[in-house]
Amino acid sequence: MCIEYITIAALFAVAIEVKPWNAVPSVTEETWKSLVLESDLPVMVEFWAPWCGPCRIVQPVIDELSKEFAGKLKVFKVNTDESATIASDYGVRSIPTVIIFKNGEKKEAIIGAVPKSTLTSSIEKFL
Amino acid sequence: MRKFSEQFCRKSDTYFCVDKSVTAVVIKGLAEHRETLGAPLCPCRYYEDKEAEAKQGFWNCPCVPMRERKECHCMLFLTPDNDFAGKDQTITLDEIREVTANV
């Protein structure tokens, strides 16, 4: 019994360790419509690419915001190398670009590694 | 691309990011593009046709905005007044390898 608890505790520890990488889930072309366009809540999407330096600055901020606005805002990320159609459809050029959607419509785009306060102000307009 | 970046930093009087992981990732991205496309296309943009963009040249590093106005949205070359500018114009191969190993 005790060993079982230790094993479960160890698994949770591993999950917590891994969690930060996956704090914000990815959305793909297959899930775009259901997760973003048909969402009841406003949605913030970060468009990123693996070799984009400024994306490394923005990602922890996006992670924090997804926790702070949990229940009020859904947050996803799109790898533009893997989901090129979405990036094309929404006119993404510079990366990182953060786009806020409400009722399936693009409401605002924020380009580059901006401060957290800039993103917070944009989010609050659509809650 | 590492040597090129260091030389261009000195030439343009700019500095690498205070967070060298940003610098390392961009240099690696430029190197990948040079290998696959034949030109160091900026890795901080989305292109519908990478081959055509690389051939066209506008976003090949150093891109036109960088050459004309010292604007590098990839944060590879930062002017001293930029909040993210560090004090270095050099980066080692080990620094690049360490950061990019798991990307």
Side-chain angles (χ1 to χ4, degrees):
Chain A
M1 185 70 125
C2 186
I3 290 170
E4 277 174 15
Y5 279 126
I6 291 168
T7 308
I8 290 166
L11 283 173
F12 271 116
V14 169
I16 289 163
E17 191 69 27
V18 171
K19 190 76 178 167
W21 239 156
N22 302 317
V24 172
S26 291
V27 61
T28 63
E29 278 144 21
E30 290 74 36
T31 55
W32 180 259
K33 189 168 175 253
S34 60
L35 293 179
V36 178
L37 301 183
E38 295 174 352
S39 169
D40 294 334
L41 294 175
V43 183
M44 180 168 76
V45 182
E46 183 214 356
F47 292 81
W48 70 286
W51 300 120
C52 157
C55 296
R56 297 177 73 87
I57 293 176
V58 163
Q59 267 157 11
V61 177
I62 300 283
D63 290 349
E64 280 176 33
L65 289 169
S66 78
K67 285 175 196 139
E68 285 172 25
F69 288 94
K72 296 179 191 167
L73 175 82
K74 287 186 183 171
V75 182
F76 298 106
K77 56 187 179 184
V78 169
N79 181 336
T80 57
D81 284 351
E82 292 172 358
S83 302
T85 308
I86 304 173
S88 287
D89 287 351
Y90 291 94
V92 171
R93 291 289 174 265
S94 264
I95 304 171
T97 287
V98 172
I99 300 182
I100 298 173
F101 293 85
K102 191 172 183 180
N103 300 323
E105 286 176 17
K106 173 181 168 179
K107 294 292 182 188
E108 190 159 323
I110 304 114
I111 295 164
V114 295
K116 186 178 175 183
S117 57
T118 304
L119 290 169
T120 304
S121 306
S122 294
I123 292 166
E124 284 171 345
K125 280 192 268 178
F126 302 105
L127 295 182
Chain B
M1 287 315 304
R2 181 179 71 91
K3 283 280 171 204
F4 153 79
S5 302
E6 290 180 339
Q7 282 165 7
F8 193 77
C9 243
R10 290 195 292 273
K11 190 178 154 193
S12 61
D13 197 21
T14 55
Y15 293 85
F16 290 145
C17 184
V18 69
D19 177 354
K20 286 276 196 76
S21 76
V22 171
T23 315
V25 162
V26 175
I27 289 174
K28 181 77 175 169
L30 289 169
E32 291 261 325
H33 276 167
R34 194 174 61 177
E35 208 172 300
T36 55
L37 304 167
L41 189 64
C42 175
C44 303
R45 288 186 68 81
Y46 166 72
Y47 312 94
E48 290 186 6
D49 185 341
K50 281 191 182 188
E51 283 78 14
E53 288 285 354
K55 205 173 280 182
Q56 200 273 341
F58 189 94
W59 292 109
N60 289 343
C61 190
C63 64
V64 173
M66 181 62 211
R67 278 182 274 147
E68 289 186 349
R69 301 185 297 276
K70 292 194 183 183
E71 285 174 10
C72 174
H73 73 281
C74 224
M75 300 174 68
L76 178 57
F77 305 117
L78 298 169
T79 51
D81 60 331
N82 189 300
D83 288 344
F84 287 97
K87 289 179 177 165
D88 290 344
Q89 293 178 316
T90 57
I91 185 167
T92 65
L93 264 180
D94 284 344
E95 282 176 287
I96 296 173
R97 283 192 189 121
E98 194 182 322
V99 171
T100 58
N102 297 320
V103 177

